[in-house]
Amino acid sequence: MALGVVSRFADHLQHFTPAYYEVKGVTGVWHNALPYAIPMISVFGDNRLSKAHPEWVQIGPDGERATRASRYFDWDAICPSHDATFDQGLNWVAEAVRQSGSGTVRLDDVTYAREGFCQCQTCQTKSQDAGMTLNAFRIQRLVDFVRQAHLIAPHLHMTLFPDPFPGHLQRRFGVDPDRLAHDVEAFVVPIYDLHYATTYWLEILAEAFLELIPGRYYIELYGLQVPEEALLHACQVAQAYCDGVIVAYENHLPKLQRIEERLALDS
Ligand SMILES: [Zn+2]
């Protein structure tokens, strides 16, 4: 099985498949796409846009705003229900396709922030106009976004939040893998830890997503400063359940290459 990476280092990307390069992360800064890499876009996570357009920030129960100031969030979540954020997301996909010269793009943060989000005025008005519950509206909105992104990028990968409990992706995040499967070529599930000192929980999640995800499925592990033997072991556990293992943010190329060699021997 091939090892994939998420990397900021151009010289790492050509060695691994798939190789993802973040053209836009949650900070909102754009980095031009690189050859040999799949551009990855944080679509509805954007600290810069939330500052420029506070009216786009997702709103939860009791008016709680989905920003870093809240207890729940590490970045600011903007609401996919606005036409402007929806169109901006599609423009980023188009720009990534144009710059990379390939038709593959990974969608990150195509999601509502968590349960109860978003209840902004736009979400309420649009769901009522459509005669849908808020939950049904959210799911439909993200299906529509991914479908339109697929018209621009022929090959889509998409990140899922690592919550495989039945119904949680739909109810908490407005994400329905079964309804997205037609447009998504591979789902990527980040299962991060800083040590991977134990892996039983990783195995539980890995197997649960194998049952849940229709089609191709990658597990993404966190790599930076994780001890090499522990990371290798986590990769070995993960690869038994998925179609590919991805290591994110490791900055040491020989470590990644040694792990890849050991995984190849196992498979
Ligand atoms: Zn909203």
PDB file of all heavy atoms in Angstrom, residues 79 81-82 112 118-120 122-123, ligand 1:
ATOM      1  N   CYS A  79     -20.591  30.221   7.286  1.00  0.00           N
ATOM      2  CA  CYS A  79     -21.807  29.453   6.997  1.00  0.00           C
ATOM      3  C   CYS A  79     -21.952  29.172   5.497  1.00  0.00           C
ATOM      4  O   CYS A  79     -21.975  30.100   4.693  1.00  0.00           O
ATOM      5  CB  CYS A  79     -23.034  30.212   7.497  1.00  0.00           C
ATOM      6  SG  CYS A  79     -24.561  29.346   7.108  1.00  0.00           S
ATOM      7  N   SER A  81     -24.482  28.416   3.939  1.00  0.00           N
ATOM      8  CA  SER A  81     -25.812  28.725   3.402  1.00  0.00           C
ATOM      9  C   SER A  81     -25.881  30.064   2.673  1.00  0.00           C
ATOM     10  O   SER A  81     -26.811  30.310   1.910  1.00  0.00           O
ATOM     11  CB  SER A  81     -26.843  28.706   4.542  1.00  0.00           C
ATOM     12  OG  SER A  81     -26.817  27.456   5.199  1.00  0.00           O
ATOM     13  N   HIS A  82     -24.879  30.922   2.888  1.00  0.00           N
ATOM     14  CA  HIS A  82     -24.846  32.183   2.149  1.00  0.00           C
ATOM     15  C   HIS A  82     -24.427  31.924   0.700  1.00  0.00           C
ATOM     16  O   HIS A  82     -23.516  31.136   0.453  1.00  0.00           O
ATOM     17  CB  HIS A  82     -23.832  33.148   2.767  1.00  0.00           C
ATOM     18  CG  HIS A  82     -24.160  33.551   4.166  1.00  0.00           C
ATOM     19  ND1 HIS A  82     -25.142  34.469   4.460  1.00  0.00           N
ATOM     20  CD2 HIS A  82     -23.655  33.153   5.354  1.00  0.00           C
ATOM     21  CE1 HIS A  82     -25.218  34.623   5.767  1.00  0.00           C
ATOM     22  NE2 HIS A  82     -24.328  33.834   6.340  1.00  0.00           N
ATOM     23  N   TYR A 112     -20.962  21.889   8.381  1.00  0.00           N
ATOM     24  CA  TYR A 112     -21.429  22.794   9.435  1.00  0.00           C
ATOM     25  C   TYR A 112     -20.631  22.475  10.697  1.00  0.00           C
ATOM     26  O   TYR A 112     -20.078  21.374  10.844  1.00  0.00           O
ATOM     27  CB  TYR A 112     -22.939  22.651   9.632  1.00  0.00           C
ATOM     28  CG  TYR A 112     -23.695  23.257   8.450  1.00  0.00           C
ATOM     29  CD1 TYR A 112     -23.925  22.503   7.303  1.00  0.00           C
ATOM     30  CD2 TYR A 112     -24.106  24.576   8.461  1.00  0.00           C
ATOM     31  CE1 TYR A 112     -24.567  23.057   6.201  1.00  0.00           C
ATOM     32  CE2 TYR A 112     -24.761  25.138   7.372  1.00  0.00           C
ATOM     33  CZ  TYR A 112     -24.982  24.374   6.245  1.00  0.00           C
ATOM     34  OH  TYR A 112     -25.620  24.932   5.151  1.00  0.00           O
ATOM     35  N   CYS A 118     -25.862  25.512  11.701  1.00  0.00           N
ATOM     36  CA  CYS A 118     -25.931  26.932  11.925  1.00  0.00           C
ATOM     37  C   CYS A 118     -27.403  27.351  11.981  1.00  0.00           C
ATOM     38  O   CYS A 118     -28.240  26.778  11.300  1.00  0.00           O
ATOM     39  CB  CYS A 118     -25.184  27.622  10.785  1.00  0.00           C
ATOM     40  SG  CYS A 118     -25.337  29.414  10.725  1.00  0.00           S
ATOM     41  N   GLN A 119     -27.678  28.344  12.820  1.00  0.00           N
ATOM     42  CA  GLN A 119     -29.046  28.847  12.938  1.00  0.00           C
ATOM     43  C   GLN A 119     -29.100  30.330  12.589  1.00  0.00           C
ATOM     44  O   GLN A 119     -29.916  31.070  13.136  1.00  0.00           O
ATOM     45  CB  GLN A 119     -29.557  28.624  14.363  1.00  0.00           C
ATOM     46  CG  GLN A 119     -29.502  27.172  14.799  1.00  0.00           C
ATOM     47  CD  GLN A 119     -30.025  26.972  16.219  1.00  0.00           C
ATOM     48  OE1 GLN A 119     -30.724  27.819  16.770  1.00  0.00           O
ATOM     49  NE2 GLN A 119     -29.687  25.831  16.806  1.00  0.00           N
ATOM     50  N   CYS A 120     -28.214  30.750  11.707  1.00  0.00           N
ATOM     51  CA  CYS A 120     -28.226  32.160  11.306  1.00  0.00           C
ATOM     52  C   CYS A 120     -29.524  32.466  10.544  1.00  0.00           C
ATOM     53  O   CYS A 120     -30.266  31.565  10.158  1.00  0.00           O
ATOM     54  CB  CYS A 120     -27.002  32.504  10.469  1.00  0.00           C
ATOM     55  SG  CYS A 120     -27.040  31.900   8.767  1.00  0.00           S
ATOM     56  N   THR A 122     -29.999  33.438   7.569  1.00  0.00           N
ATOM     57  CA  THR A 122     -30.014  32.865   6.221  1.00  0.00           C
ATOM     58  C   THR A 122     -30.422  31.394   6.272  1.00  0.00           C
ATOM     59  O   THR A 122     -31.239  30.929   5.464  1.00  0.00           O
ATOM     60  CB  THR A 122     -28.625  33.019   5.561  1.00  0.00           C
ATOM     61  OG1 THR A 122     -28.342  34.412   5.454  1.00  0.00           O
ATOM     62  CG2 THR A 122     -28.588  32.393   4.187  1.00  0.00           C
ATOM     63  N   CYS A 123     -29.848  30.646   7.223  1.00  0.00           N
ATOM     64  CA  CYS A 123     -30.212  29.223   7.354  1.00  0.00           C
ATOM     65  C   CYS A 123     -31.701  29.080   7.663  1.00  0.00           C
ATOM     66  O   CYS A 123     -32.390  28.231   7.092  1.00  0.00           O
ATOM     67  CB  CYS A 123     -29.387  28.560   8.457  1.00  0.00           C
ATOM     68  SG  CYS A 123     -27.702  28.157   7.964  1.00  0.00           S
TER      69      CYS A 123
HETATM   70 ZN    ZN B   1     -26.138  29.807   8.646  1.00  0.00          ZN
END
